[in-house]
């Protein structure tokens, strides 16, 4: 019944408006569209001036009623001051069903038409379900291969807004967003991310965030990228620069997924390695380290490749070996021959690592003329002729040099002395030396109207021969006469011209008398000095021989017993036999070592065959340090002496000479007891 009443009122109001009669009632304030979250309270305003008809609210063109309490709609209330024409619609604890189009209306009267407000859209917001990444908490992808990852948040009103983030950085490309109808004015939000993973994406976190107006903040879900890829290979040399003759290790470092495989039985490396040299497989070299011993310069710039393979595929990396070695000549022009006035280029190429520094200098000079493989002279003359050195230097590996000779062809150059000498009546020679390139085609002498290349003309003979440094022409004059001391013209021809030089022959002056006398005096003084030196030398030698007649004998006692330090015993060799009788009883196991002066050249003649052998400490032996002979003690038996050799008699003279020296100088000699 209430529904029928509402429909009739609405139709009547519509008919009145259609008739277009004059209206006095009007809206002072009309409702606006508004959106609220479900459960919130919302007010739609409506104020009418000069209200004459019945005021009511409609929802989706359905009358809610004119009673301020709106029976049947317990959460709906019309509020405001009626006297001021206020008819505000209040909706408490909004629900999704409250979502719709609302209108405030005043019914017509007999004198006035009915009025309607503008439509006001009431929108109710609902939060979506939590976002979900359909691929799960981990996404396996292969580097370089596109992969779609889907995130969705369902049952939102409106549909959830979804964004993608990778390790905190928002992704703005490769995203497709769609919505799906979930019914009852709800929607599902779906975002598809097309991922182009790289090796560096492995282990990174993808985040999907959802939001809509019904939410205070964002909700998110994550997944971790598991990027499978072929090994990323890096080859390193240790050391980076290898000295020639040393060793080097090449290491192949790889980063791969899968790399290490773990199982209940342990872990294993799932990457296989293979080494190549200049593209050729090195058999048996399948470890991560390749060891090269005794590296030579021929190994420089060789390319070594490491192939690393896992379940995804194979990847490679190369390294070019760098071997440090000293300069080695590659190409040198040993001699360059050019004509005067042209250009000349000297070439001297070297190899080395690091690349050598090449410097040019003229031989015998320290001035650097240039650097590099070549030395160029734009225009040369004969002063440029000579030997040039190119020196190559490799820091830390030494230096080397080569010689390049530059020969500049030009007219002949005569390098003989302008004045030469000969003695009257003797044979004389005049020399003319041509010392440049090209060699002379002709050499001739002219004097007194005579021209002579080779051969004999009277007392004059011309000869030519090649010598070091050029070609020599010699004009020989037999029995030089006074008229021969004159000027001689030497002329030399080659293909670039001719050169002449006047050479004057002069008489050789005799040696002055003063020089002869001075030389004789100097010779006499030299002879006297030599005689004096010989005399002094002989005198000193006789003194030395006299002093050598004295002998110093030392005995050293060595045994296993402790002996007081610096203990000394003096023995005066005045009488050899008496000295023998005074010898104390021999201590057990005691050895003596004796040294003596054997420089007396006459000692053998002073020793009689009846003299006893040299004195030896009782019970011991002595060592002859000069001759290396070991002697036993002959005094262990005093009744007789053993037969001795001539050599032993020579040793016996030691004691006799010591006794004579003692009596002569009244100065006892020392015997050291250690």
């Amino acid at each position: 019944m209430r529904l029928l009443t509402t429909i009739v009122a609405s139709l009547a109001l519509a008919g009145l408006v259609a008739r277009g009669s004059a209206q006095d009632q009007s809206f002072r304030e009309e409702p606006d569209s508004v959106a609220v979250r479900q459960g919130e309270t919302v007010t739609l305003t409506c104020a009418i001036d000069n209200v004459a008809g019945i005021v009511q609210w409609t929802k989706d063109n359905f009358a809610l009623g004119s009673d301020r309490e709106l029976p049947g709609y317990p959460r709906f209330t019309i509020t405001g001051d009626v006297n001021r024409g206020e008819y505000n619609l209040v909706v408490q604890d909004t629900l999704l069903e409250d979502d719709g189009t609302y209108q405030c209306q005043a019914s017509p009267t007999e004198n006035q038409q009915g009025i309607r407000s503008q439509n006001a859209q009431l929108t109710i917001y609902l939060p979506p379900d939590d976002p979900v990444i359909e691929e799960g908490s981990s996404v396996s992808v292969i580097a370089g291969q596109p992969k779609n990852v889907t995130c969705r948040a369902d049952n939102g009103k409106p549909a959830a807004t979804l964004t993608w983030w990778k390790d905190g950085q928002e992704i703005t490309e490769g995203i497709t967003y769609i919505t799906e109808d979930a019914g009852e004015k709800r929607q599902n939000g779906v975002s598809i991310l097309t991922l182009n993973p790289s090796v560096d994406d492995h282990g990174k976190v993808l985040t999907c965030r959802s939001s809509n107006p019904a939410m205070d903040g964002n909700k998110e879900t994550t997944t971790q990228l598991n990027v499978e890829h072929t090994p990323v290979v890096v080859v390193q040399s240790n050391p980076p620069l290898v000295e020639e003759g040393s060793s080097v290790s090449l290491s192949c470092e790889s980063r791969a997924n899968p790399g290490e495989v773990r199982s209940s039985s342990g872990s294993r490396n799932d990457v296989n390695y293979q080494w190549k040299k200049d593209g050729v497989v090195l058999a048996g070299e399948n470890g991560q380290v390749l060891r090269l011993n005794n590296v030579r310069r021929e190994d420089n710039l060789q390319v070594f490749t490491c192939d690393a393979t896992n379940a995804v595929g194979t990847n490679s990396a190369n390294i070019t070996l760098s071997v440090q070695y000293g300069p080695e000549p590659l190409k040198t022009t040993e001699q360059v021959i050019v004509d005067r006035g042209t250009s000349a280029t000297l070439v001297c190429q070297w190899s080395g690592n690091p690349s050598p520094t090449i410097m040019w200098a003229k031989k015998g000079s320290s001035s650097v003329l240039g650097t590099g493989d070549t030395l160029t002279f734009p225009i040369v003359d004969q002063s440029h002729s000579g030997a040039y050195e190119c020196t190559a230097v490799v820091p830390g590996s030494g230096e080397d040099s080569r010689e390049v000779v530059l020969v500049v062809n030009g007219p002949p150059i005569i390098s003989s002395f302008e004045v030469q000498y000969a003695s009257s009546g003797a044979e004389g020679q005049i020399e003319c030396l041509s010392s440049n390139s090209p060699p002379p085609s002709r050499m001739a002498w002219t004097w007194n109207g005579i021209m002579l290349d080779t051969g004999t003309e009277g007392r004059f003979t011309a000869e030519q021969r090649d010598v070091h440094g050029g070609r020599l022409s010699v004009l020989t004059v037999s029995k030089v006469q006074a008229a021969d001391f004159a000027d001689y013209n030497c002329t030399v021809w080659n293909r670039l011209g001719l050169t002449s030089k006047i050479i004057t022959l002069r008489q050789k002056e005799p040696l002055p008398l003063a020089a002869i006398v001075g030389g004789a005096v100097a010779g006499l003084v030299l002879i006297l000095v030599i005689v004096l030196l010989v005399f002094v030398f002989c005198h000193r030698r006789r003194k030395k021989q006299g002093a050598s007649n004295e002998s110093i004998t030392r005995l050293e006692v060595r045994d296993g017993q402790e002996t007081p330090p610096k203990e000394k015993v003096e023995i005066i060799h005045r009488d050899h036999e008496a000295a023998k009788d005074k010898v104390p009883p021999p201590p057990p196991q005691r050895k003596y070592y004796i040294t003596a002066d054997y420089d007396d050249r006459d000692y053998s003649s002073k020793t009689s065959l009846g003299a006893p052998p040299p004195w030896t400490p009782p019970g011991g032996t002595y060592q002859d340090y000069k001759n290396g002979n070991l002697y036993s003690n002959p005094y262990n038996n005093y009744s007789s002496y053993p037969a001795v050799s001539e050599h032993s008699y020579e040793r016996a003279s030691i004691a006799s000479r010591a006794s004579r020296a003692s009596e002569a100088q009244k100065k006892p000699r020392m015997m050291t007891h250690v």
Side-chain angles (χ1 to χ4, degrees):
M1 185 64 182
R2 183 168 56 86
L3 177 61
L4 180 61
T5 302
T6 302
I7 295 173
V8 171
S10 298
L11 291 174
L13 181 62
L16 291 173
V17 172
R19 286 197 299 268
S21 59
Q23 300 182 15
D24 293 333
Q25 56 183 357
S26 62
F27 287 101
R28 184 173 72 250
E29 187 175 0
E30 297 183 60
D32 293 324
S33 296
V34 64
V36 296
R37 298 177 183 177
Q38 180 174 268
E40 294 180 340
T41 297
V42 64
T43 299
L44 301 176
T45 61
C46 180
I48 303 174
D49 291 333
N50 303 318
V51 177
I54 300 172
V55 178
Q56 69 172 0
W57 282 89
T58 64
K59 173 181 177 291
D60 297 332
N61 295 322
F62 183 82
L64 300 177
S66 59
D67 192 343
R68 285 187 170 259
E69 297 300 327
L70 293 178
Y73 299 96
R75 296 179 294 105
F76 287 46
T77 306
I78 297 176
T79 62
D81 188 349
V82 175
N83 296 327
R84 298 184 59 194
E86 295 176 349
Y87 298 89
N88 300 324
L89 178 62
V90 177
V91 182
Q92 296 179 340
D93 300 328
T94 55
L95 298 174
L96 179 60
E97 63 188 42
D98 300 332
D99 188 272
T101 304
Y102 291 80
Q103 192 178 63
C104 179
Q105 301 174 352
S107 65
T109 65
E110 293 181 359
N111 300 322
Q112 297 185 25
Q113 294 182 344
I115 58 175
R116 295 180 179 182
S117 70
Q118 64 183 6
N119 290 332
Q121 183 68 39
L122 175 59
T123 302
I124 306 301
Y125 288 155
L126 293 177
D129 298 339
D130 290 344
V132 175
I133 295 178
E134 293 181 348
E135 285 72 18
S137 60
S138 178
V139 179
S140 293
V141 295
I142 297 177
Q145 296 184 12
K147 173 73 174 181
N148 288 338
V149 182
T150 302
C151 177
R152 64 186 304 126
D154 296 338
N155 299 316
K157 184 176 182 305
T161 300
L162 301 174
T163 58
W164 289 95
W165 304 74
K166 182 169 65 178
D167 272 4
Q169 299 293 323
E170 185 175 5
I171 301 173
T172 59
E173 296 179 352
I175 298 174
T176 301
Y177 180 79
I178 61 175
T179 59
E180 298 173 348
D181 186 10
E184 298 182 356
K185 298 184 178 181
R186 299 172 185 262
Q187 289 183 316
N188 301 330
V190 181
S191 180
I192 303 171
L193 171 64
T194 301
L195 192 65
N196 290 302
S198 67
V199 173
D200 295 333
D201 290 332
H202 178 67
K204 290 186 176 180
V205 175
L206 277 181
T207 301
C208 176
R209 293 178 182 174
S210 70
S211 63
N212 92 334
M215 300 169 59
D216 290 330
N218 299 320
K219 289 186 177 182
E220 63 183 36
T221 184
T222 62
T223 186
Q224 190 173 35
L225 293 177
N226 177 30
V227 182
E228 297 182 354
H229 57 87
T230 58
V232 178
V233 186
V234 176
V235 181
Q236 294 179 329
S237 172
N238 184 24
L241 184 61
V242 190
E243 293 184 2
E244 185 178 20
S246 63
S247 300
V248 62
S249 294
L250 304 181
S251 61
C252 185
E253 302 294 334
S254 67
R255 179 163 57 96
N257 182 32
E260 188 178 64
V261 178
R262 292 181 173 86
S263 63
S264 58
S265 60
S267 62
R268 62 181 177 86
N269 194 343
D270 202 34
V271 179
N272 299 319
Y273 298 93
Q274 178 62 62
W275 288 94
K276 299 177 183 177
K277 177 181 178 182
D278 289 338
V280 179
V281 174
L282 298 177
E285 297 295 343
N286 49 18
Q288 284 188 263
V289 178
L290 176 63
R291 180 75 174 176
L292 303 175
N293 297 316
N294 192 25
V295 177
R296 310 308 303 171
R297 64 184 61 189
E298 293 77 16
D299 299 323
N300 187 48
L301 300 181
Q302 287 187 336
V303 178
F304 289 84
T305 303
C306 175
D307 292 341
T309 304
N310 69 350
V312 179
T314 300
N315 208 350
S316 303
N318 299 329
I319 189 170
T320 301
L321 194 63
S322 181
V323 181
Q324 181 177 1
Y325 62 94
E328 181 179 11
L330 296 178
K331 178 182 179 182
T332 303
T333 53
E334 296 181 357
Q335 186 180 63
V336 177
I337 302 176
V338 296
D339 290 344
R340 184 180 64 174
T342 62
S343 65
T345 298
L346 312 184
V347 178
C348 188
Q349 295 178 348
W350 299 81
S351 69
N353 190 30
S355 297
T357 299
I358 304 174
M359 297 174 290
W360 291 87
K362 198 164 187 177
K363 190 171 183 179
S365 172
S366 59
S367 298
V368 177
L369 301 177
T371 59
D373 292 344
T374 60
L375 177 65
T376 300
F377 299 99
I379 300 177
V380 296
D381 56 32
Q382 288 166 287
S383 65
H384 290 96
S385 293
Y388 293 82
E389 285 186 336
C390 65
T391 302
V393 180
V394 175
S397 297
E399 63 180 56
D400 198 359
S401 62
R402 289 293 183 272
E403 183 177 295
V404 180
V405 176
L406 174 61
V407 178
V408 179
N409 293 327
I413 297 177
I414 299 175
S415 55
S416 299
F417 292 110
E418 294 181 355
V419 178
Q420 301 182 27
Y421 297 89
S423 298
S424 181
E427 182 180 87
Q429 288 187 338
I430 310 171
E431 295 182 347
C432 179
L433 176 64
S434 176
S435 57
N436 71 308
S437 178
S441 58
R442 181 185 180 190
M443 299 181 71
W445 294 92
T446 57
W447 76 100
N448 294 333
I450 301 174
M451 175 178 285
L452 185 61
D453 291 14
T454 58
T456 301
E457 180 71 30
R459 291 180 297 106
F460 297 88
T461 301
E463 297 177 327
Q464 296 180 17
R465 64 178 181 271
D466 292 327
V467 297
H468 179 72
R471 187 166 183 80
L472 179 66
S473 177
V474 179
L475 182 63
T476 302
V477 185
S478 63
K479 297 181 181 181
V480 177
Q481 301 176 3
D484 298 331
F485 297 108
D487 293 336
Y488 296 82
N489 188 345
C490 176
T491 303
V492 182
W493 291 264
N494 67 12
R495 65 178 178 83
L496 297 178
L498 63 87
T499 302
S500 295
K501 186 172 186 178
I502 301 298
I503 301 175
T504 302
L505 181 63
R506 293 183 180 176
Q507 185 173 0
K508 187 183 300 183
E509 297 293 338
L511 191 63
L513 180 60
I516 297 175
V517 174
V521 171
L524 181 60
V525 171
L526 180 61
I527 293 173
L528 291 176
V529 170
I530 294 174
V531 171
L532 180 60
L533 292 175
V534 172
F535 174 76
V536 172
F537 175 77
C538 293
H539 178 70
R540 290 184 176 179
R541 184 165 183 80
R542 284 197 298 270
K543 285 184 64 178
K544 182 177 180 181
Q545 289 177 349
S548 66
N549 291 331
E550 299 180 5
S551 176
I552 300 176
T553 305
R554 297 174 182 166
L555 278 78
E556 297 178 1
V557 181
R558 299 182 181 178
D559 59 12
Q561 303 175 358
E562 181 178 356
T563 304
K566 300 183 180 178
E567 179 183 354
K568 297 182 179 179
V569 180
E570 295 186 1
I571 298 179
I572 301 175
H573 298 274
R574 297 182 181 277
D575 185 276
H576 188 72
E577 294 295 332
K580 181 188 73 171
D581 295 335
K582 294 179 181 181
V583 174
Q589 297 181 352
R590 186 177 292 271
K591 294 183 179 180
Y592 293 82
Y593 295 85
I594 183 167
T595 61
D597 181 7
Y598 299 148
D599 291 335
D600 189 352
R601 301 177 183 274
D602 299 329
Y603 71 87
S604 60
S605 62
K606 298 175 183 178
T607 304
S608 63
L609 294 177
W615 181 85
T616 306
T621 62
Y622 77 86
Q623 174 71 47
D624 179 359
Y625 283 109
K626 191 167 186 179
N627 293 288
N629 296 318
L630 182 66
Y631 298 92
S632 61
N633 184 0
Y635 295 112
N636 289 334
N637 186 357
Y638 298 139
S639 60
S640 63
Y641 297 101
V644 295
S645 64
E646 182 180 354
H647 184 67
S648 299
Y649 284 125
E650 292 176 353
R651 299 298 183 270
S653 67
I654 300 171
S656 298
R657 287 190 288 110
S659 177
R660 290 198 305 274
S662 176
E663 292 178 359
Q665 298 184 8
K666 302 301 183 180
K667 183 178 179 180
R669 298 302 179 206
M670 301 300 298
M671 185 188 315
T672 303
H673 172 240
V674 182

